[in-house]
Amino acid sequence: MSLILFYGVPEGCSFGSIVALEWSGLPYRLCRIQMPEVVSGDEYRHINTVGETPSLLLPDGRLISESMAILNNIGAQSTDNGLGFAQGTVGFDRLNQMLAYLNTSFFNAFSPLWHAVEHELEPAEKEILVAYGKAKVEKAHRTLERLLAGRKWLLGDRPGIADAYFTGIARWNDFHKTVDIGRFPAVNDLYQRMLQEPAVRFALAIEHQEKAESTGSFMGEIDLDQALGLLRQAA
């Protein structure tokens, strides 16, 4: 059994894991999970008990959840091509530091905005929540601008796992129209370069159910029932 990534749509943060899998060269399949309908349903709870994406089903039947854990698993299997780093090395520590920042600060900055979209709120409550979210997103972009410090990529001299995760979150600004990303030239340049990456174009096509050309080892999509069947066989 190949790797199976359960990815959420629309606009799921599992986007970065699709990009990383494309870069890794590892054989994998994808299972599309509609949010919030399917992701919160009883069937998907067999995959992810907290009802979130992404989740990764390993060939031995084990399941991994949370983007940081999944990205680190992919990286650990891809050290030969420079995508990941051995634990205990400087590269491993720097990658985890950047992933942690992206998860706790950059990702979290958009949480109030998603809450305002997904829940029924009184107009005054929504206005306060959106204003709070915009301030958080603005601060997160300012910090990322400093972290880039003139570099082309978040880490090293080539696009990597951190850049993949960044891109899946950065595109949320296109949805929420929160900040003018042009005010943050280093962040904007990174985002625009990543949009030209074949793996990113592939992930966008997959999400929008358009013709997708893989440059990795993508083996096709399966539905949730098929994935659950494979999980039962592996048990």
Side-chain angles (χ1 to χ4, degrees):
M1 182 172 68
S2 64
L3 295 165
I4 300 173
L5 179 74
F6 299 83
Y7 70 99
V9 291
E11 304 290 335
C13 62
S14 35
F15 184 94
S17 296
I18 299 176
V19 175
L21 282 168
E22 275 288 286
W23 282 339
S24 74
L26 298 168
Y28 74 98
R29 287 182 282 182
L30 294 171
C31 183
R32 186 180 186 88
I33 304 297
Q34 192 70 33
M35 303 184 297
E37 301 90 344
V38 177
V39 78
S40 59
D42 291 338
E43 289 300 297
Y44 185 66
R45 297 280 179 177
H46 295 290
I47 302 295
N48 188 305
T49 55
V50 298
E52 294 179 351
T53 57
S55 297
L56 184 67
L57 179 59
L58 303 180
D60 62 6
R62 289 183 297 124
L63 284 159
I64 301 177
S65 61
E66 303 296 339
S67 290
M68 281 188 65
I70 290 170
L71 290 167
N72 269 310
N73 181 275
I74 295 168
Q77 299 183 66
S78 312
T79 55
D80 289 347
N81 64 14
L83 188 60
F85 306 92
Q87 188 168 358
T89 63
V90 173
F92 181 86
D93 291 338
R94 291 181 66 233
L95 172 59
N96 275 279
Q97 179 175 298
M98 184 59 72
L99 287 176
Y101 169 75
L102 291 172
N103 183 256
T104 59
S105 296
F106 196 52
F107 177 103
N108 186 55
F110 286 92
S111 296
L113 300 174
W114 284 119
H115 189 89
V117 169
E118 295 167 355
H119 296 82
E120 293 287 338
L121 300 170
E122 293 294 328
E125 291 177 317
K126 185 171 184 176
E127 183 178 353
I128 293 170
L129 195 60
V130 169
Y132 176 58
K134 286 183 175 181
K136 285 173 68 71
V137 172
E138 175 93 15
K139 180 181 177 182
H141 277 75
R142 286 200 307 268
T143 302
L144 264 181
E145 187 76 9
R146 292 197 303 272
L147 288 174
L148 277 164
R151 298 193 305 270
K152 286 186 64 175
W153 312 105
L154 287 171
L155 298 170
D157 58 0
R158 54 174 285 184
I161 286 175
D163 303 291
Y165 190 43
F166 156 81
T167 306
I169 303 168
R171 67 205 177 111
W172 292 347
N173 188 57
D174 298 336
F175 179 86
H176 291 288
K177 309 296 183 187
T178 308
V179 300
D180 176 7
I181 195 173
R183 292 174 43 230
F184 307 97
V187 176
N188 185 45
D189 287 350
L190 172 59
Y191 182 53
Q192 296 304 322
R193 279 194 304 275
M194 285 298 295
L195 290 179
Q196 301 308 310
E197 284 288 319
V200 170
R201 294 200 297 268
F202 169 82
L204 287 169
I206 285 289
E207 282 198 341
H208 292 91
Q209 296 184 301
E210 299 169 348
K211 183 180 179 181
E213 296 185 9
S214 174
T215 56
S217 297
F218 176 55
M219 300 174 65
E221 295 209 48
I222 63 172
D223 62 31
L224 182 56
D225 287 340
Q226 291 174 305
L228 288 170
L230 291 172
L231 181 60
R232 286 191 289 269
Q233 291 175 20

